[in-house]
Amino acid sequence: MSHPMPRPEDLLNRELSWLDFNARVMEEAEDPSVPLLERVKFLSIVSNNWDEFFMVRVAGIWRQIDAGITQPGPDGLSPRQLLERVASKIHAYSARQHELFHAILEPQLEAEGIVILDPKDLDPAQAAFVLDHFERALLPLITPLAVDTGHPFPRLGNRVLVLVAELEPEASLLDGDLPASELSFIHVPTTLATRFLRVPSAPGTHAFVMLEDVVRHHLARLFLGYAVRSCHAIRVTRDSDQPVEEDPSEDLLKTVEESLRDRRRGAVVRLQYEKGLSAKVLDLLIEEMELSPEDLYPSSGLTAFSDLMQLYAQVDLPRLKDAPLPPLPVPQLDQAANLFDAISRNDILLHHPYQSFDDSVARFVREAADDPRVLAIKMTLYRVTQNSPVAAALERAAERGKQVAAIVELRARFDEAANIAWARRLEKVGVHVVYGLPNHKIHCKACLVVRQEREGIRRYCHLGTGNYNERTSRIYSDLGLLTARPELGEDLANLFNMLTGYTRPPRFHELLVAPQHLKKGLTARILREIDHARAGRPARMILKMNALVEPQIIQLLYEASRAGVKVDLIVRGTCCLRPGVRGLSENIRALSILDRFLEHARIYHFANDGQPETLLASADLMPRNLDHRVELAFPLADPVLAAQVVEMLELQLHDTLKGRVLGPEGDVLRRGLDDQDPPLRSQLRIYEHTLLASGVGAVTRKLPPLPPEA
């Protein structure tokens, strides 16, 4: 059954909505109630998000323009119109970012003894330290690139800080045999050295010099015989979303590796440059890199705020950072001598980062690798770290003679290199490695363990909303399920057979799998709520996701609103639906929660007239997830666990401190859905609930006091 698409005026543009989300991230950097260094961290996150936005989304808009596409998208904007609006918004946000750092955060940092010094203001001891560092650690890494008739315009690296030096050769150079240059480019080695060089300072203070300032200050030692007329920092951002052209005769591993090399050669989509750069040099850059006015971003002071994360990491001042919230044990697993016995008794709900990923998910895979009764392990790997304990456990399992299958998605954007390295390493020890499907990314998160027990073979499963990545598990809020339910075990076995052998399962008992069933399954559940409302029965949905873009799902939600269904949305990022519009969506409320942990879980709850159904999923409500990826949604069959998740959702819906209510234009109307609600910060309250439920007195006594909610 097909459903009509929304009218263009009923949709917000995806890119513009994402920019509004990043503005909400900037609000955290602007919020004086947030600890100072956390504000610095959020400012870094804002810039890092923009980098990826340019590399992928802006690059995609330019590709459409270059291809001559003029027809509007679902929201009524043509690519050219969209580019102009995107550029206008980011220029405004960029000015706001510079003002925030230089006028507010930097003075506050200085008041706390954290200073970024200009090399000319160093005392003699500091100057000697910096000079020694330059000559010993930086000068060997620097390669000046001259530009003249004999030296073509250099290739500038993606997101690399580059100094452009305008030079004036002395007469002695002009009379010599070697050519002299009037322009040189110097790549600052920020990938090999921290951008914030710490220098000796008085006790209780933290003094730094920017790496580009160190190089700039000592250019005379590099360009002997020249006068340096000017030197300014620039930074280019390149198209890094190169499509992978899959040749059926080529190995996918080789194809992705080649696309990574192509990424480094992508077209420039943004030029950041320090104000004061001469018009002559700027014109040269525009001409050589074929830039348009929309691509130009002048900056004052600090270019590339994304590197502020390094400053955050180097300053150890707990009073200027969030109070630590150490991951808590999972009660059902903490006292269990054998993890599989614990899972066989009851389904176990996991909530990261509140509960330990290492003591639950990583332990599940480690024990499976070491348990002599385990016969096989099958697992999807979408984003893994270079030192992944999960992937290492799969390697060890194969070395011990177990049958191990790993579906490694090579096309996980910006994590391809780590995935390729693990794919090669796992293959060497005999793991059956599958590199995804030709036309679909495998984005689901699932692990199946097959174990020989006294009663026969039994399957144990882990399903989750987040990646098997120990690093992100400490900062992403995700849910997972450990279960030995036979129906889910059979479903997962069929899923892995489909992924590794292209078999066609007869049916799935409980899983909703994209692209075949997930969109249909969610559609059916939304229609069911509409039927309840039209029959005069109470009807409600709570849908939590990272992004809501899919036009047909949005249209269904509009129909649900008009039918009287109460719809609560918790959307962290992009939301193309317009909530609260009379006659269209007046029964839809949309909340965006931004706090110290990244809200990453996908939860779809349907009241269903007293027979509620709660699904956890790997998929957001976006066309790419529902139509072009292998994704999973799975029900919480245990009503106790389902009730816990709904209680968490209700708590988040009443977050008055970090929950922003979204308006019909994508703007933030206020904090909290209800003006009468008392101050509530849902992430801290969830941690508090998890702490009480852990029931481990020895642990609770070691924990620091919880920070205040208001």
mmCIF file with all atom_site columns, all heavy atoms in Angstrom, residues 565-576:
data_model
loop_
_atom_site.group_PDB
_atom_site.id
_atom_site.type_symbol
_atom_site.label_atom_id
_atom_site.label_alt_id
_atom_site.label_comp_id
_atom_site.label_asym_id
_atom_site.label_entity_id
_atom_site.label_seq_id
_atom_site.pdbx_PDB_ins_code
_atom_site.Cartn_x
_atom_site.Cartn_y
_atom_site.Cartn_z
_atom_site.occupancy
_atom_site.B_iso_or_equiv
_atom_site.pdbx_formal_charge
_atom_site.auth_seq_id
_atom_site.auth_comp_id
_atom_site.auth_asym_id
_atom_site.auth_atom_id
_atom_site.pdbx_PDB_model_num
ATOM 1  N N   . VAL A 1 565 ? -4.286 10.883 17.164 1.00 0.00 ? 565 VAL A N   1
ATOM 2  C CA  . VAL A 1 565 ? -3.234 10.137 17.857 1.00 0.00 ? 565 VAL A CA  1
ATOM 3  C C   . VAL A 1 565 ? -2.271 11.124 18.514 1.00 0.00 ? 565 VAL A C   1
ATOM 4  O O   . VAL A 1 565 ? -1.840 12.098 17.874 1.00 0.00 ? 565 VAL A O   1
ATOM 5  C CB  . VAL A 1 565 ? -2.460 9.226  16.879 1.00 0.00 ? 565 VAL A CB  1
ATOM 6  C CG1 . VAL A 1 565 ? -1.378 8.438  17.626 1.00 0.00 ? 565 VAL A CG1 1
ATOM 7  C CG2 . VAL A 1 565 ? -3.405 8.274  16.154 1.00 0.00 ? 565 VAL A CG2 1
ATOM 8  N N   . LYS A 1 566 ? -1.938 10.895 19.759 1.00 0.00 ? 566 LYS A N   1
ATOM 9  C CA  . LYS A 1 566 ? -0.941 11.717 20.441 1.00 0.00 ? 566 LYS A CA  1
ATOM 10 C C   . LYS A 1 566 ? 0.449  11.178 20.070 1.00 0.00 ? 566 LYS A C   1
ATOM 11 O O   . LYS A 1 566 ? 0.754  10.013 20.339 1.00 0.00 ? 566 LYS A O   1
ATOM 12 C CB  . LYS A 1 566 ? -1.120 11.677 21.959 1.00 0.00 ? 566 LYS A CB  1
ATOM 13 C CG  . LYS A 1 566 ? -2.484 12.187 22.428 1.00 0.00 ? 566 LYS A CG  1
ATOM 14 C CD  . LYS A 1 566 ? -2.679 13.659 22.073 1.00 0.00 ? 566 LYS A CD  1
ATOM 15 C CE  . LYS A 1 566 ? -4.018 14.179 22.567 1.00 0.00 ? 566 LYS A CE  1
ATOM 16 N NZ  . LYS A 1 566 ? -4.267 15.589 22.140 1.00 0.00 ? 566 LYS A NZ  1
ATOM 17 N N   . VAL A 1 567 ? 1.246  12.016 19.458 1.00 0.00 ? 567 VAL A N   1
ATOM 18 C CA  . VAL A 1 567 ? 2.561  11.600 18.965 1.00 0.00 ? 567 VAL A CA  1
ATOM 19 C C   . VAL A 1 567 ? 3.631  12.421 19.673 1.00 0.00 ? 567 VAL A C   1
ATOM 20 O O   . VAL A 1 567 ? 3.654  13.653 19.574 1.00 0.00 ? 567 VAL A O   1
ATOM 21 C CB  . VAL A 1 567 ? 2.687  11.797 17.438 1.00 0.00 ? 567 VAL A CB  1
ATOM 22 C CG1 . VAL A 1 567 ? 4.052  11.307 16.955 1.00 0.00 ? 567 VAL A CG1 1
ATOM 23 C CG2 . VAL A 1 567 ? 1.563  11.068 16.702 1.00 0.00 ? 567 VAL A CG2 1
ATOM 24 N N   . ASP A 1 568 ? 4.504  11.739 20.396 1.00 0.00 ? 568 ASP A N   1
ATOM 25 C CA  . ASP A 1 568 ? 5.654  12.379 21.023 1.00 0.00 ? 568 ASP A CA  1
ATOM 26 C C   . ASP A 1 568 ? 6.907  11.922 20.304 1.00 0.00 ? 568 ASP A C   1
ATOM 27 O O   . ASP A 1 568 ? 7.187  10.714 20.221 1.00 0.00 ? 568 ASP A O   1
ATOM 28 C CB  . ASP A 1 568 ? 5.747  12.029 22.509 1.00 0.00 ? 568 ASP A CB  1
ATOM 29 C CG  . ASP A 1 568 ? 4.750  12.800 23.346 1.00 0.00 ? 568 ASP A CG  1
ATOM 30 O OD1 . ASP A 1 568 ? 4.598  14.016 23.108 1.00 0.00 ? 568 ASP A OD1 1
ATOM 31 O OD2 . ASP A 1 568 ? 4.113  12.189 24.223 1.00 0.00 ? 568 ASP A OD2 1
ATOM 32 N N   . LEU A 1 569 ? 7.668  12.868 19.796 1.00 0.00 ? 569 LEU A N   1
ATOM 33 C CA  . LEU A 1 569 ? 8.910  12.582 19.089 1.00 0.00 ? 569 LEU A CA  1
ATOM 34 C C   . LEU A 1 569 ? 10.087 13.066 19.936 1.00 0.00 ? 569 LEU A C   1
ATOM 35 O O   . LEU A 1 569 ? 10.059 14.169 20.473 1.00 0.00 ? 569 LEU A O   1
ATOM 36 C CB  . LEU A 1 569 ? 8.945  13.292 17.737 1.00 0.00 ? 569 LEU A CB  1
ATOM 37 C CG  . LEU A 1 569 ? 7.818  13.000 16.752 1.00 0.00 ? 569 LEU A CG  1
ATOM 38 C CD1 . LEU A 1 569 ? 7.952  13.906 15.525 1.00 0.00 ? 569 LEU A CD1 1
ATOM 39 C CD2 . LEU A 1 569 ? 7.834  11.533 16.339 1.00 0.00 ? 569 LEU A CD2 1
ATOM 40 N N   . ILE A 1 570 ? 11.107 12.237 20.031 1.00 0.00 ? 570 ILE A N   1
ATOM 41 C CA  . ILE A 1 570 ? 12.387 12.645 20.610 1.00 0.00 ? 570 ILE A CA  1
ATOM 42 C C   . ILE A 1 570 ? 13.414 12.473 19.502 1.00 0.00 ? 570 ILE A C   1
ATOM 43 O O   . ILE A 1 570 ? 13.801 11.349 19.176 1.00 0.00 ? 570 ILE A O   1
ATOM 44 C CB  . ILE A 1 570 ? 12.759 11.809 21.853 1.00 0.00 ? 570 ILE A CB  1
ATOM 45 C CG1 . ILE A 1 570 ? 11.639 11.866 22.900 1.00 0.00 ? 570 ILE A CG1 1
ATOM 46 C CG2 . ILE A 1 570 ? 14.078 12.300 22.450 1.00 0.00 ? 570 ILE A CG2 1
ATOM 47 C CD1 . ILE A 1 570 ? 11.877 10.956 24.102 1.00 0.00 ? 570 ILE A CD1 1
ATOM 48 N N   . VAL A 1 571 ? 13.773 13.585 18.877 1.00 0.00 ? 571 VAL A N   1
ATOM 49 C CA  . VAL A 1 571 ? 14.642 13.556 17.697 1.00 0.00 ? 571 VAL A CA  1
ATOM 50 C C   . VAL A 1 571 ? 15.887 14.379 18.012 1.00 0.00 ? 571 VAL A C   1
ATOM 51 O O   . VAL A 1 571 ? 15.801 15.603 18.156 1.00 0.00 ? 571 VAL A O   1
ATOM 52 C CB  . VAL A 1 571 ? 13.931 14.128 16.451 1.00 0.00 ? 571 VAL A CB  1
ATOM 53 C CG1 . VAL A 1 571 ? 14.797 13.915 15.213 1.00 0.00 ? 571 VAL A CG1 1
ATOM 54 C CG2 . VAL A 1 571 ? 12.564 13.493 16.263 1.00 0.00 ? 571 VAL A CG2 1
ATOM 55 N N   . ARG A 1 572 ? 17.021 13.716 18.113 1.00 0.00 ? 572 ARG A N   1
ATOM 56 C CA  . ARG A 1 572 ? 18.228 14.453 18.479 1.00 0.00 ? 572 ARG A CA  1
ATOM 57 C C   . ARG A 1 572 ? 18.656 15.423 17.390 1.00 0.00 ? 572 ARG A C   1
ATOM 58 O O   . ARG A 1 572 ? 18.998 16.565 17.648 1.00 0.00 ? 572 ARG A O   1
ATOM 59 C CB  . ARG A 1 572 ? 19.386 13.477 18.754 1.00 0.00 ? 572 ARG A CB  1
ATOM 60 C CG  . ARG A 1 572 ? 20.631 14.183 19.274 1.00 0.00 ? 572 ARG A CG  1
ATOM 61 C CD  . ARG A 1 572 ? 21.854 13.297 19.212 1.00 0.00 ? 572 ARG A CD  1
ATOM 62 N NE  . ARG A 1 572 ? 22.411 13.225 17.873 1.00 0.00 ? 572 ARG A NE  1
ATOM 63 C CZ  . ARG A 1 572 ? 22.779 12.108 17.267 1.00 0.00 ? 572 ARG A CZ  1
ATOM 64 N NH1 . ARG A 1 572 ? 22.607 10.951 17.866 1.00 0.00 ? 572 ARG A NH1 1
ATOM 65 N NH2 . ARG A 1 572 ? 23.291 12.129 16.060 1.00 0.00 ? 572 ARG A NH2 1
ATOM 66 N N   . GLY A 1 573 ? 18.670 14.970 16.129 1.00 0.00 ? 573 GLY A N   1
ATOM 67 C CA  . GLY A 1 573 ? 19.260 15.745 15.050 1.00 0.00 ? 573 GLY A CA  1
ATOM 68 C C   . GLY A 1 573 ? 18.250 16.283 14.062 1.00 0.00 ? 573 GLY A C   1
ATOM 69 O O   . GLY A 1 573 ? 17.360 17.069 14.397 1.00 0.00 ? 573 GLY A O   1
ATOM 70 N N   . THR A 1 574 ? 18.370 15.831 12.813 1.00 0.00 ? 574 THR A N   1
ATOM 71 C CA  . THR A 1 574 ? 17.540 16.337 11.729 1.00 0.00 ? 574 THR A CA  1
ATOM 72 C C   . THR A 1 574 ? 16.085 15.933 11.914 1.00 0.00 ? 574 THR A C   1
ATOM 73 O O   . THR A 1 574 ? 15.778 14.757 12.129 1.00 0.00 ? 574 THR A O   1
ATOM 74 C CB  . THR A 1 574 ? 18.049 15.792 10.384 1.00 0.00 ? 574 THR A CB  1
ATOM 75 O OG1 . THR A 1 574 ? 19.421 16.137 10.236 1.00 0.00 ? 574 THR A OG1 1
ATOM 76 C CG2 . THR A 1 574 ? 17.243 16.351 9.223  1.00 0.00 ? 574 THR A CG2 1
ATOM 77 N N   . CYS A 1 575 ? 15.187 16.892 11.811 1.00 0.00 ? 575 CYS A N   1
ATOM 78 C CA  . CYS A 1 575 ? 13.751 16.614 11.870 1.00 0.00 ? 575 CYS A CA  1
ATOM 79 C C   . CYS A 1 575 ? 13.076 17.405 10.759 1.00 0.00 ? 575 CYS A C   1
ATOM 80 O O   . CYS A 1 575 ? 12.964 18.631 10.839 1.00 0.00 ? 575 CYS A O   1
ATOM 81 C CB  . CYS A 1 575 ? 13.170 17.001 13.239 1.00 0.00 ? 575 CYS A CB  1
ATOM 82 S SG  . CYS A 1 575 ? 11.397 16.667 13.386 1.00 0.00 ? 575 CYS A SG  1
ATOM 83 N N   . CYS A 1 576 ? 12.635 16.714 9.713  1.00 0.00 ? 576 CYS A N   1
ATOM 84 C CA  . CYS A 1 576 ? 11.993 17.371 8.573  1.00 0.00 ? 576 CYS A CA  1
ATOM 85 C C   . CYS A 1 576 ? 10.494 17.551 8.782  1.00 0.00 ? 576 CYS A C   1
ATOM 86 O O   . CYS A 1 576 ? 9.825  18.180 7.956  1.00 0.00 ? 576 CYS A O   1
ATOM 87 C CB  . CYS A 1 576 ? 12.259 16.578 7.286  1.00 0.00 ? 576 CYS A CB  1
ATOM 88 S SG  . CYS A 1 576 ? 14.003 16.537 6.825  1.00 0.00 ? 576 CYS A SG  1
#
